[in-house]
Amino acid sequence: MNAAVPVSLPVISPLDGTLLSEVPLSAPADLALAVEAARAAFPGWSKTPIKERVQVFFRYKTLLEKHLEELAALCSEENGKTRSEAIAEIEKCIELTEFACSLPQLVTGEILEVSKGVECKTEYVPLGVVASIVPFNFPAMVPNWTIPNAIALGNCMILKPSEKVPLTMSRIALLLKEAGLPDGVFNIVNGDREIVQAICDHPGIEAVSFVGSTAVAKQVYQRATGQFKRVLALGGAKNHLFVLPDADVEMTAQNIAASMSGCAGQRCMAAGALLAVGNADPVISKICEEARKIVPGENLGAVINAASKARIEEYITEAGKQGAKILVDGRKAIVRGKEKGFYVGPTVIDYVTPGMAIAREEIFGPVIAIIRTRTIEEALAIENTSPYGNAASVFTRNGGLARYIMDRASAGMIGVNVGVPVPREPFSFGGWNESKFGTGDITGKSSVGFWTKLKKSTIKWNPESGTNWMA
Ligand code: NAD
């Protein structure tokens, strides 16, 4: 007899292990209904002028501002991040929405008289029904990478939140409705693998954006492009930070400690590996000092679940067994009164070698692996052979050396003296290599190309002018 198939999953707060809710697992039949609703809404929505469409997002922005505290509380509760991180996340949603409100200025198209009485014209045309599949680590921000832009550009959307953090998006969906978004333009389906596969396969969906781990990004990219859909799939990361001997000790250490531990290290832009070129001892001891000020349950949130905590701790243990030196050890962190929460303290591991799992793999916890190198070339070789390529940063006061590393690092987003080099709007977000599959980036100006197709028209206004090569 088959085991009963679950129809819902528990949503548990990582902060203290409390059961918050149950998330229903949508069946492919539910997806079919959502796509039907979206397809029905598309003709009306896509024909609404963009200046009118963005009015919804002006109102949505105001609603995000009004409900900032409430949304941040929900986001923190289901994801485990601190209140201030959750507030920053909702503020980022507001910034993303501001960009979408500016889209009419970006998509004016072009027109030119290419020969006497003949004009060529380009227009940005929405694709139809599009899907967005998102991870657990930013319950509000990553969905808002796609929702405002895709919808303001005239598409209708099916969003699949992470089954681990579905609550913030349910609340945000109500705000979109309150902002005046017509029924059917935005739809949520819940679930995990099965519903994602159904999205990839559904013939009524034109494009799929995905953000999550590399293993799943590859599967989604292959499956959805196999159905001839347009796909942009962002994957995982292992971000390398080059620290040169002349780096400002205080600033570098503070930036690196914040980058490795912010959102409990559960960021695709987190510092994962520190490439210490030459003598970096002053910076390393200052990072340890900063890390010790980061206290689980106070200024450090929880990791998403018990499995994640166990996995992170296993990486640390294994690195220790292989000869790395654990300078600050975050294993077995307990927060008094929240003993059922999933906490890992900040962890600094020195003398990691490039072959160790902790040097190569994404840990997704507040852990930094320090690899000591003698030269910049040695450090670059390590960064360049990582399968990922989301971000890299260099800490130095030497502009020439910074430029040298910027030019050679194999990553889509580069920082100079910046721990988390996230490009802010109107610049676009996206990595290279196995951190992203597909063309273009997911936010900012570059996203316009993903969510629209160009119509090119050639128009002759003087038929009396006779025939030419365009006849
Ligand atoms: P995940 O890959 O486990 O899940 C992402 C989404 O895919 C979720 O909605 C999930 O329900 C679904 N999913 C999970 N397993 C699936 C499967 N086998 N088949 C189909 N769908 C499946 O990722 P996560 O744990 O939620 O998020 C963490 C990962 O996301 C990290 O690797 C992180 O680096 C990455 N991430 C990347 C970026 C980026 O911009 N590159 C941003 C945020 C997070």
Side-chain angles (χ1 to χ4, degrees):
M1 211 174 78
N2 287 337
V5 179
V7 289
S8 65
L9 290 174
V11 181
I12 291 168
S13 175
L15 295 172
D16 55 9
T18 313
L19 176 68
L20 297 174
S21 185
E22 295 272 327
V23 57
L25 301 182
S26 310
D30 301 315
L31 174 68
L33 286 176
V35 175
E36 210 175 290
R39 289 185 79 83
F42 181 69
W45 182 246
S46 59
K47 292 287 173 254
T48 303
I50 187 165
K51 281 171 93 72
E52 214 174 297
R53 289 197 300 253
V54 297
Q55 295 311 312
V56 172
F57 288 98
F58 279 109
R59 292 191 291 271
Y60 173 60
K61 174 182 177 283
T62 307
L63 288 170
L64 289 175
E65 286 162 351
K66 182 173 161 196
H67 295 278
L68 191 143
E69 290 285 347
E70 175 206 346
L71 291 168
L74 199 50
C75 177
S76 163
E77 202 172 30
E78 68 174 344
N79 170 277
K81 62 183 64 185
T82 65
R83 184 178 162 278
S84 63
E85 286 166 348
I87 286 176
E89 176 165 352
I90 307 303
E91 285 171 347
K92 184 66 204 176
C93 297
I94 293 167
E95 185 180 8
L96 290 158
T97 307
E98 282 169 1
F99 175 75
C101 291
S102 77
L103 279 169
Q105 331 309 325
L106 262 189
V107 295
T108 50
E110 294 177 322
I111 187 161
L112 181 73
E113 188 178 38
V114 289
S115 63
K116 192 136 185 67
V118 179
E119 287 167 354
C120 279
K121 172 184 169 188
T122 57
E123 291 163 86
Y124 292 90
V125 177
L127 303 176
V129 178
V130 298
S132 174
I133 301 161
V134 291
F136 78 80
N137 63 328
F138 285 96
M141 183 189 77
V142 174
N144 277 281
W145 280 357
T146 60
I147 299 166
N149 291 355
I151 294 181
L153 289 166
N155 299 288
C156 294
M157 178 175 273
I158 313 288
L159 181 104
K160 209 295 285 174
S162 165
E163 69 282 11
K164 295 173 185 136
V165 294
L167 306 177
T168 310
M169 265 321 300
S170 292
R171 181 69 186 102
I172 285 179
L174 294 177
L175 297 183
L176 284 165
K177 188 171 171 60
E178 194 179 335
L181 200 63
D183 286 350
V185 174
F186 178 71
N187 310 273
I188 289 183
V189 292
N190 282 300
D192 49 21
R193 181 165 166 260
E194 188 192 6
I195 202 71
V196 169
Q197 292 181 342
I199 289 171
C200 295
D201 295 345
H202 198 295
I205 296 174
E206 308 296 333
V208 176
S209 77
F210 172 89
V211 181
S213 61
T214 290
V216 182
K218 282 181 178 172
Q219 289 169 28
V220 166
Y221 187 80
Q222 256 177 342
R223 192 160 181 142
T225 54
Q227 297 298 318
F228 307 107
K229 297 186 199 312
R230 189 180 284 196
V231 185
L232 185 59
L234 274 60
K238 183 80 181 181
N239 304 311
H240 294 80
L241 274 57
F242 297 77
V243 176
L244 305 195
D246 71 337
D248 179 303
V249 172
E250 188 106 347
M251 180 276 293
T252 302
Q254 281 171 359
N255 272 261
I256 293 177
S259 175
M260 64 170 270
S261 66
C263 298
Q266 298 174 122
R267 288 190 287 194
C268 65
M269 295 295 279
L274 189 166
L275 298 168
V277 181
N279 179 16
D281 287 344
V283 172
I284 292 169
S285 58
K286 186 74 187 157
I287 290 174
C288 293
E289 195 184 315
E290 291 296 323
R292 289 190 187 98
K293 294 183 200 159
I294 300 167
V295 182
E298 288 178 23
N299 52 357
L300 179 67
V303 297
I304 190 69
N305 54 28
S308 185
K309 175 176 159 72
R311 187 182 47 77
I312 297 163
E313 293 187 344
E314 180 57 31
Y315 270 113
I316 301 168
T317 303
E318 199 48 39
K321 278 190 199 157
Q322 291 178 5
K325 195 169 169 197
I326 303 168
L327 302 180
V328 181
D329 189 348
R331 285 174 293 180
K332 316 234 176 303
I334 302 274
V335 173
R336 203 167 295 162
K338 295 181 177 175
E339 286 79 3
K340 293 200 170 140
F342 313 119
Y343 294 91
V344 180
T347 302
V348 182
I349 310 180
D350 202 354
Y351 297 102
V352 170
T353 55
M356 292 180 187
I358 205 143
R360 287 180 288 109
E361 294 172 17
E362 180 176 39
I363 311 300
F364 229 49
V367 178
I368 191 146
I370 301 171
I371 306 169
R372 291 177 179 253
T373 72
R374 274 162 300 146
T375 63
I376 288 177
E377 296 309 329
E378 214 182 303
L380 276 167
I382 294 167
E383 194 276 343
N384 285 178
T385 47
S386 167
Y388 299 109
N390 220 36
S393 254
V394 50
F395 289 85
T396 179
R397 292 182 234 224
N398 184 319
L401 289 178
R403 180 81 217 189
Y404 186 85
I405 291 171
M406 285 166 77
D407 285 348
R408 287 162 181 78
S410 181
M413 293 171 280
I414 309 285
V416 176
N417 296 318
V418 172
V420 185
V422 174
R424 293 182 66 170
E425 285 59 37
F427 297 94
S428 300
F429 184 100
W432 287 359
N433 309 329
E434 295 205 348
S435 291
K436 191 189 71 187
F437 304 91
T439 310
D441 289 326
I442 199 162
T443 65
K445 288 185 187 177
S446 177
S447 70
V448 173
F450 184 71
W451 298 120
T452 59
K453 51 193 175 189
L454 273 185
K455 179 169 275 185
K456 288 77 59 180
S457 307
T458 303
I459 312 148
K460 187 158 72 179
W461 291 121
N462 60 344
E464 70 286 357
S465 72
T467 56
N468 57 26
W469 67 271
M470 283 188 289

